[in-house]
C-alpha cells in the first residue's frame, strides 16, 4: 500500500511491469491510475499525475471477432423473422449500435422513417434512415403486451438490461455453434460491410457515432486495400508471345 503522495512514476511503472504478461490489464491499470490522480489533482491531494509519463504497452489484438456475412446469414437463418434474436441482429447490424444502445432503443426513437438516438457511451447524437430490413424486423416482432416502447423485450415482457442482452446474444450464438461470435463483433461487421461497399470515412463516422476519423480510417483502409488488390491481381497476366517463348520441347 502507498500513500498518494508516495506514488511516483517509478511506482506506477513498476505496477505496469508486474502486469506486463497481460498488456490489456497493464493498460487498464494505467488508465485507472490516471483517473485517480485527475480526481486527486482537482481536490488538491496531489500536484501532478505520475501515470501520464508512463508508456502504455502494445496490445497485439484485433479485439472481438468480426462477423462474416456467412456467419450473419447463418444466424438469421437459425432465428427467422419475427424472433427476438432476428430483431436484435437486424437492429445492431443496420444501425451499428453497441449493446448499451440496443437495449434502450425503441419506437420512440423513430420519426418519419428516421432513427434518432444519443449514444450512451460518448453521448453523440446519431440520425439515420431506418433500413428496410430493420423496419421489416421491427414490424414482425412481438409487441410488448405491457406497452413498453423498447424494441427488445424478453420472455417476461420486460426490456433487456445491457448485461442481460449481451448474455442472451451469447446464448443465441452458442446454440448454433457460433461460439467465437459475440454482440461486440456485429458493430465491426456493419462497418466492414459498409466500407467494402464504398462508404467514406465521414459516412462511417455519421453512422457509427465516431467523433474522430481515426476509427473509420481502419475500415476504409482495409476496404481500399482489398479493392486495389483485386484490381492489381487481374493485371498479373502474360502475353501469348511471352508464354510461347518459355515453352521448351522435351
Amino acid at each position: 500500500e502507498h500513500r498518494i503522495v508516495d506514488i511516483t512514476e517509478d511506482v506506477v511503472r513498476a505496477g505496469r511491469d508486474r502486469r506486463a504478461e497481460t498488456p490489456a490489464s497493464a493498460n487498464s491499470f494505467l488508465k485507472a491510475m490516471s483517473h485517480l490522480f485527475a480526481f486527486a489533482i482537482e481536490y488538491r491531494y496531489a500536484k501532478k499525475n505520475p501515470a501520464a509519463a508512463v508508456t502504455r504497452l502494445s496490445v497485439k489484438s484485433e479485439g472481438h471477432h468480426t462477423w462474416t456475412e456467412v456467419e450473419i446469414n447463418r444466424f438469421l437463418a437459425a432465428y427467422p423473422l419475427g424472433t427476438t434474436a432476428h430483431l436484435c441482429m437486424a437492429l445492431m447490424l443496420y444501425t451499428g449500435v453497441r449493446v448499451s444502445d440496443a437495449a434502450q432503443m425503441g419506437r420512440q426513437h423513430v420519426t418519419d422513417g428516421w432513427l434518432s438516438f444519443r449514444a450512451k457511451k460518448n453521448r453523440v447524437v446519431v440520425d439515420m434512415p431506418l433500413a428496410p430490413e430493420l423496419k421489416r424486423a421491427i414490424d414482425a416482432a412481438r409487441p410488448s403486451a405491457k406497452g413498453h416502447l423498447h424494441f427488445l423485450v424478453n420472455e417476461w415482457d420486460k426490456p433487456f438490461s445491457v448485461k442481460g442482452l449481451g448474455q442472451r446474444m451469447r446464448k443465441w450464438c452458442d446454440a448454433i455453434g457460433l461460439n467465437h461470435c459475440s454482440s461486440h463483433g456485429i458493430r465491426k461487421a456493419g462497418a466492414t460491410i459498409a466500407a467494402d461497399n464504398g462508404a467514406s470515412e465521414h459516412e462511417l463516422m455519421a453512422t457509427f457515432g465516431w467523433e474522430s476519423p481515426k476509427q473509420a480510417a481502419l475500415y476504409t483502409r482495409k476496404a481500399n486495400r482489398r479493392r486495389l488488390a483485386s484490381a492489381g491481381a487481374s493485371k498479373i497476366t502474360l502475353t501469348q508471345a511471352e508464354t510461347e517463348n518459355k515453352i521448351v520441347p522435351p
Side-chain angles (χ1 to χ4, degrees):
E1 296 184 1
H2 296 274
R3 297 184 304 165
I4 196 164
V5 294
D6 296 329
I7 300 177
T8 63
E9 290 179 15
D10 289 339
V11 171
V12 175
R13 189 174 292 107
R16 178 204 64 184
D17 293 345
R18 285 195 299 272
R19 299 167 174 82
E21 292 186 2
T22 52
S25 175
N27 292 339
S28 293
F29 165 74
L30 294 178
K31 184 177 180 180
M33 293 300 293
S34 289
H35 285 306
L36 171 65
F37 274 93
F39 172 85
I41 291 170
E42 180 179 356
Y43 288 91
R44 300 182 181 179
Y45 294 116
K47 294 182 178 180
K48 61 178 292 187
N49 180 1
V54 181
T55 306
R56 269 54 175 171
L57 299 182
S58 175
V59 179
K60 296 180 180 180
S61 171
E62 294 187 357
H64 298 281
H65 167 72
T66 302
W67 289 61
T68 66
E69 292 189 41
V70 171
E71 291 164 344
I72 293 171
N73 287 325
R74 179 176 168 184
F75 186 95
L76 295 176
Y79 302 106
L81 194 67
T83 62
T84 303
H86 189 105
L87 176 56
C88 184
M89 171 59 76
L91 181 63
M92 298 185 71
L93 179 64
Y94 292 109
T95 65
V97 296
R98 302 175 179 87
V99 179
S100 55
D101 294 319
Q104 67 180 6
M105 288 176 64
R107 290 164 177 80
Q108 72 275 23
H109 295 111
V110 179
T111 305
D112 296 330
W114 279 74
L115 187 65
S116 179
F117 64 95
R118 185 182 294 277
K120 187 174 182 179
K121 183 176 182 179
N122 56 12
R123 310 306 297 165
V124 170
V125 174
V126 178
D127 296 291
M128 67 178 69
L130 194 65
E133 295 83 355
L134 176 55
K135 186 178 186 306
R136 287 180 62 232
I138 292 173
D139 292 343
R142 169 180 56 87
S144 169
K146 296 180 180 178
H148 294 298
L149 295 177
H150 296 73
F151 290 133
L152 300 171
V153 293
N154 60 26
E155 56 268 41
W156 298 284
D157 201 21
K158 293 182 179 180
F160 282 97
S161 66
V162 175
K163 183 178 180 180
L165 184 57
Q167 291 175 337
R168 184 58 59 87
M169 176 59 80
R170 173 77 276 136
K171 291 182 179 179
W172 287 328
C173 291
D174 290 348
I176 58 174
L178 295 177
N179 309 74
H180 58 294
C181 296
S182 68
S183 53
H184 302 286
I186 301 174
R187 179 176 168 86
K188 295 172 69 176
T192 299
I193 293 170
D196 286 347
N197 288 331
S200 68
E201 290 178 12
H202 287 286
E203 287 173 335
L204 291 175
M205 288 170 63
T207 301
F208 292 90
W210 293 321
E211 296 181 282
S212 166
K214 182 178 179 181
Q215 187 70 35
L218 294 174
Y219 294 95
T220 55
R221 278 200 301 268
K222 289 180 180 179
N224 290 337
R225 280 200 299 269
R226 278 191 288 270
R227 282 193 286 270
L228 290 172
S230 177
S234 66
K235 294 179 174 63
I236 304 175
T237 60
L238 293 175
T239 63
Q240 187 64 30
E242 289 173 330
T243 305
E244 289 176 350
N245 290 337
K246 293 181 179 180
I247 297 175
V248 180

